[in-house]
Amino acid sequence: MAKIFQVTARAGMTRVIEPIARTLLRWGVTPNAVTVTGTAGVLVGALGFGARGHLVAGALIVTVFALTDLLDGTMARMRGGSTRFGAFLDSSMDRVADGAVFGAVAYWLATQDDHWGVAAALICLVGGGLVSYVKARAEGLGLTANVGIAERTERLIIVGIGGLLSGLVVPWGLTAALWFLAALSLFTAGQRIVHVYRQARLADEGADVSG
């Protein structure tokens, strides 16, 4: 099943990101510095604005700094590939940023007595972590899990759209977006688990035959 935001859209974004990446590399900025800066910006947007109910400002800040996830990866490729520590740092900072976003959303919704919204935000937090964990664990076993309809970029964009809707025109837009995202996150985790299961079964059958 295709991702929500197709490869063509991602390629278009890459064409915008590449000139910025080249400029930053010429200035001596490292991909790791961009990773940390992007995470700091997401924390400011989520905790400094979103958690206080400034949903439009929070969504815009988080979206802008979340794009550094594409920027640092592009910079790393231009330098000849990501280092082991760079990949580790990027993944770790992604978890910090995701936790801040959904934690801030859950906190704000709790202050509004939106219990259904809080429940959805918590499911998104757990589901997003599961999606990432399944991929990391599969790769640790020598398998792949780079599949799924809603990966990290899609998840952040959806919650950002929900924040903008709630802040501008539709009060229940954020809660609706969170429930939609919760379903997509759990579905994506299931897709990845099934994908890994099929690979593992084939690998195990091959080992039995060769043995």
Side-chain angles (χ1 to χ4, degrees):
M1 185 176 292
K3 296 178 178 62
I4 294 176
F5 300 104
Q6 300 293 330
V7 174
T8 52
R10 292 169 180 260
M13 183 61 70
T14 298
R15 285 194 290 270
V16 175
I17 292 293
E18 284 182 350
I20 301 174
R22 291 193 189 94
T23 299
L24 291 175
L25 289 172
R26 283 198 300 269
W27 290 350
V29 179
T30 67
N32 289 348
V34 172
T35 298
V36 174
T37 301
T39 301
V42 170
L43 293 177
V44 170
L47 303 179
F49 290 87
R52 297 167 59 194
H54 303 300
L55 300 182
V56 174
L60 292 175
I61 293 171
V62 167
T63 299
V64 168
F65 281 97
L67 291 177
T68 59
D69 199 43
L70 297 174
L71 181 58
D72 59 8
T74 301
M75 292 172 67
R77 287 193 296 274
M78 288 180 173
R79 292 181 61 179
S82 176
T83 64
R84 287 187 175 89
F85 178 74
F88 167 80
L89 179 66
D90 184 61
S91 180
S92 299
M93 292 297 100
D94 284 350
R95 304 291 78 74
V96 172
D98 290 354
V101 169
F102 291 104
V105 167
Y107 172 81
W108 182 76
L109 290 172
T111 66
Q112 306 303 303
D113 293 323
D114 187 346
H115 304 298
W116 285 104
V118 172
L122 294 177
I123 294 173
C124 288
L125 180 59
V126 174
L130 179 60
V131 168
S132 299
Y133 174 79
V134 169
K135 180 179 179 180
R137 186 69 180 116
E139 291 174 346
L141 295 172
L143 305 173
T144 63
N146 191 27
V147 299
I149 191 172
E151 296 187 346
R152 184 172 185 264
T153 301
E154 284 82 359
R155 296 197 300 271
L156 290 178
I157 290 176
I158 290 170
V159 73
I161 291 173
L164 290 174
L165 288 175
S166 284
L168 293 174
V169 290
V170 185
W172 46 265
L174 179 57
T175 298
L178 287 171
W179 277 111
F180 177 60
L181 180 55
L184 288 180
S185 297
L186 295 178
F187 184 76
T188 299
Q191 282 183 295
R192 290 188 170 185
I193 290 171
V194 170
H195 185 71
V196 172
Y197 168 73
R198 290 171 177 167
Q199 292 177 78
R201 185 179 63 181
L202 290 174
D204 291 341
E205 289 174 353
D208 291 340
V209 171
S210 62

